[in-house]
Amino acid sequence: MIMPGKNPGPQVKDKDQYEALRDKGYSKQKSARIANSQGAEKRGGKAGDYEDRTKKDLYKEAVKVDIKGRSNMTKEQLVHALRNN
């Protein structure tokens, strides 16, 4: 429940969580950061599994992100490089 005069502003996504954290003694910045980070796990997943792609597709992706040494890499090495780039 948002109390009058305690509105965190439009930049906070989950105002209820923000207020709960503030009530627990968290700073404004930390409360806002936590309230805005929720749902980050839901993003992503759009690229699909690298293991399901061909080596040629992985190589094209490695070119886009400019992975050095990509021309000599195996499919497994490309997967590792893309995940850790």
Side-chain angles (χ1 to χ4, degrees), residues 7 13 20 30-31 33 35 43 53 55 72-74 85:
N7 189 345
K13 295 177 185 174
K30 187 168 186 175
S31 297
R33 190 170 51 249
R43 288 183 263 158
R53 297 184 186 185
K55 182 179 177 183
N72 295 321
M73 291 184 180
T74 65
N85 182 31

Side-chain angles (χ1 to χ4, degrees), residues 7-69:
N7 189 345
Q11 70 278 7
V12 175
K13 295 177 185 174
D14 188 339
K15 291 177 177 26
D16 290 333
Q17 184 181 29
Y18 173 87
E19 290 303 325
L21 292 166
R22 290 291 292 140
D23 291 342
K24 288 182 180 180
Y26 286 81
S27 70
K28 290 178 182 179
Q29 292 82 9
K30 187 168 186 175
S31 297
R33 190 170 51 249
I34 293 170
N36 286 338
S37 71
Q38 299 306 308
E41 307 83 40
K42 295 176 188 174
R43 288 183 263 158
K46 297 175 187 172
D49 291 332
Y50 285 131
E51 287 80 11
D52 295 338
R53 297 184 186 185
T54 65
K55 182 179 177 183
K56 185 176 180 179
D57 289 336
L58 294 171
Y59 181 83
K60 287 179 184 178
E61 192 67 27
V63 169
K64 288 180 188 176
V65 295
D66 195 30
I67 293 176
K68 305 294 182 211

